[in-house]
Amino acid sequence: MGNANEKEVPLMEKIVSLAKRRGFVFASSEIYGGFAGVYDYGPMGVELANNIKAQWWQRMVRERGDIFGLDSAIFMSPRIWEASGHVANFSDPLVECRTCHTRSRADHLLEDVGVLADEKMSVEEINKIFDENKAKIKCPKCGGKDFTEVKLFNLLVKSNLGDFSSEGNNPAYLRGETCQGIYVNYKNVLDTMHPKLPFGIAQTGKAFRNEITARQFIFRTREFEQMEMQYFTTPAEDMKEYEKLKEYCWSSLLDLGLKAENLRWHQHENLVFYAKEAYDIEYKFPFGWKELEGVHARGNYDLTQHSKGSGVSLDYFDQEKNEKFLPHIIESSVGVGRLFLAVLSDAYAEEEVEGPSTADGSVGVKEVRAVLHLPKALAPIKIAILPLSKKEELSAVAVPIFDTLKKQFACQYDETQSIGKRYRRQDEIGTPFCVTVDFDSLNDKAVTVRDRDTMKQERVAIVELPAYLKEKLQ
Ligand code: GAP
């Protein structure tokens, strides 16, 4: 939009700018110059993220009956990460630019020049492909073409929790994925809730990875939140349940409001040795199709490893058949930050609208509004209460409306600046309804309700307002 000579701002830049400007996402430690790969969620961001998590929990736990919730601790015995294979194998291929010493992921540099380096490849294989394509590969920082050899870099983040020696030889790891907490609590859930197969365990929580290059805003960060569900089945039924889970995850994303045309399945070609099948749901982010959620059939690898590592049998006893076996696991795993970015990208729009009326009552000139057409259930603020001016007689009507509505809905009271500017602000945070109290309200005991999407305005009696909005927000 705008002057043809003006450079079009890429969508991603617009979303990042809105996220900062409107209090959704802040760079970490900003006043200290920032801290790479970590982001903070501001007043609007925490509401949106909480709504996303609440909807996931509703679908994955409350609406099921066969899936139990869990909140395992971030810190766990380091033996868990040895048994799971993370200490030995949870790594990404790293190269360093010899000119500016920037470290990059070798597979990402290859991807940038159109060459696919699969995450399951050995370091020798990646080095070979990297060498073959050296002429095309450039350092993303300085453009240099001289790189070190590709090395594997372990992503686990270490801490000295419980290690009081000065050497730090016994690190406790910050969890690299939340599902390990599920595997090691499988027996506890089995022994306390006594479920029959198939059943699942779900949890949301923080995970940490020493990502070599954290990039694309909140898409890939070093601290992030995951929502994971592990479903335990008999060996015979895992692929049938896998197909059902794939469908369930896909429809959950549609229920969350994501557009079907921005989602697609991607099958992993090169499976890890224990996996039976692996698909990702990809989202069309402003920077291209990328993984949003993984839905994987993992066989009995995880329970086998933790049974061996702990020395505790994790067998399931089928009373009817009088047999013991290790259940198979199918998993769904999605990052809150990635889903948050997908929701923002899907909702963001720029629309040409009529500007606010001028003081002499004539119609305003055309302008562009940025608006988040968020699903109502996800919007951080559902209703904004906007007295036309700061005059006391208006706040005497508007404040009691705010006090009533805020008990039922997330509301915001705003009396600063012109009403046009306040509408634009609410559009930018995706508020579905604005309630305007004007001087007529003093006489007719009614207010104007403006719909974010249609921008249509309706006069509603103040006494009927809670019921009117409740119906609209359902
Ligand atoms: N338990 C399986 C697992 O953790 P993953 O593919 O490594 O598998 C699952 O991660 C999901 O977690 C991804 O699809 C993505 O949504 C999210 N995720 C992974 N790494 C991330 C990172 N560094 N930053 C943000 N989200 C991430």
Side-chain angles (χ1 to χ4, degrees), residues 354-365 419-420:
E354 213 148 79
S357 305
T358 52
D360 63 3
S362 59
V363 172
V365 286
I419 192 73

Side-chain angles (χ1 to χ4, degrees), residues 319-354:
Q319 281 179 335
E320 278 162 34
K321 293 192 177 143
N322 195 25
E323 62 183 29
K324 275 184 181 175
F325 56 87
L326 272 182
H328 282 204
I329 291 177
I330 56 177
E331 128 178 299
S332 82
S333 176
V334 59
V336 176
R338 256 181 221 192
L339 201 44
F340 185 109
L341 184 56
V343 165
L344 281 189
S345 311
D346 240 51
Y348 185 89
E350 287 175 4
E351 295 165 359
E352 197 172 78
V353 293
E354 213 148 79

Side-chain angles (χ1 to χ4, degrees), residues 60-201:
M60 213 42 121
V61 181
R62 301 240 170 103
E63 284 177 23
R64 294 285 304 223
D66 59 341
I67 298 180
F68 301 90
L70 179 79
D71 185 10
S72 68
I74 287 174
F75 285 106
M76 298 188 277
S77 164
R79 289 171 58 203
I80 289 171
W81 301 105
E82 278 158 27
S84 66
H86 282 75
V87 172
N89 299 319
F90 190 45
S91 43
D92 278 337
L94 175 146
V95 279
E96 188 172 318
C97 166
R98 285 206 169 95
T99 317
C100 72
H101 302 290
T102 293
R103 290 170 174 188
S104 303
R105 256 179 76 166
D107 54 334
H108 286 168
L109 294 185
L110 284 164
E111 201 180 300
D112 290 346
V113 296
V115 179
L116 198 73
D118 198 278
E119 61 193 44
K120 311 294 167 329
M121 281 178 179
S122 69
V123 69
E124 290 78 22
E125 285 170 304
I126 298 186
N127 258 312
K128 187 165 169 279
I129 303 180
F130 203 84
D131 259 2
E132 287 164 4
N133 291 281
K134 232 172 188 168
K136 291 186 271 176
I137 299 171
K138 278 195 244 158
C139 167
K141 182 132 186 240
C142 72
K145 297 179 112 335
D146 188 11
F147 292 96
T148 59
E149 251 198 13
V150 181
K151 279 192 219 135
L152 289 182
F153 179 79
N154 193 287
L155 304 185
L156 279 181
V157 178
K158 290 176 186 167
S159 87
N160 68 347
L161 189 89
D163 178 7
F164 301 101
S165 70
S166 47
E167 295 81 29
N169 289 336
N170 300 301
Y173 302 99
L174 277 81
R175 65 183 174 199
E177 55 179 11
T178 55
C179 60
Q180 296 300 329
I182 295 180
Y183 304 142
V184 298
N185 276 292
Y186 148 81
K187 190 169 155 31
N188 285 333
V189 173
L190 197 59
D191 292 348
T192 53
M193 312 308 287
H194 309 291
K196 285 208 161 58
L197 291 182
F199 73 92
I201 305 176

Side-chain angles (χ1 to χ4, degrees), residues 177 179 209 211 219 221 226 228 291-292 331 333 335 338:
E177 55 179 11
C179 60
R209 295 182 188 177
E211 297 283 356
F219 177 81
T221 52
Q226 285 186 315
E228 297 201 290
E291 175 185 339
L292 174 63
E331 128 178 299
S333 176
R338 256 181 221 192

Side-chain angles (χ1 to χ4, degrees), residues 259-327:
K259 297 182 189 109
E261 67 262 30
N262 289 334
L263 295 168
R264 72 176 186 193
W265 285 107
H266 166 78
Q267 184 175 16
H268 288 215
E269 281 163 18
N270 206 350
L271 291 175
V272 279
F273 70 91
Y274 54 81
K276 290 182 81 173
E277 197 153 282
Y279 274 85
D280 294 335
I281 301 178
E282 293 186 335
Y283 179 79
K284 195 177 180 188
F285 287 98
F287 39 84
W289 288 99
K290 297 274 175 199
E291 175 185 339
L292 174 63
E293 173 162 16
V295 190
H296 303 159
R298 302 179 59 86
N300 65 8
Y301 173 78
D302 307 286
L303 292 184
T304 303
Q305 290 306 103
H306 288 305
S307 187
K308 277 193 209 155
S310 63
V312 174
S313 167
L314 297 176
D315 280 346
Y316 174 86
F317 179 60
D318 185 329
Q319 281 179 335
E320 278 162 34
K321 293 192 177 143
N322 195 25
E323 62 183 29
K324 275 184 181 175
F325 56 87
L326 272 182

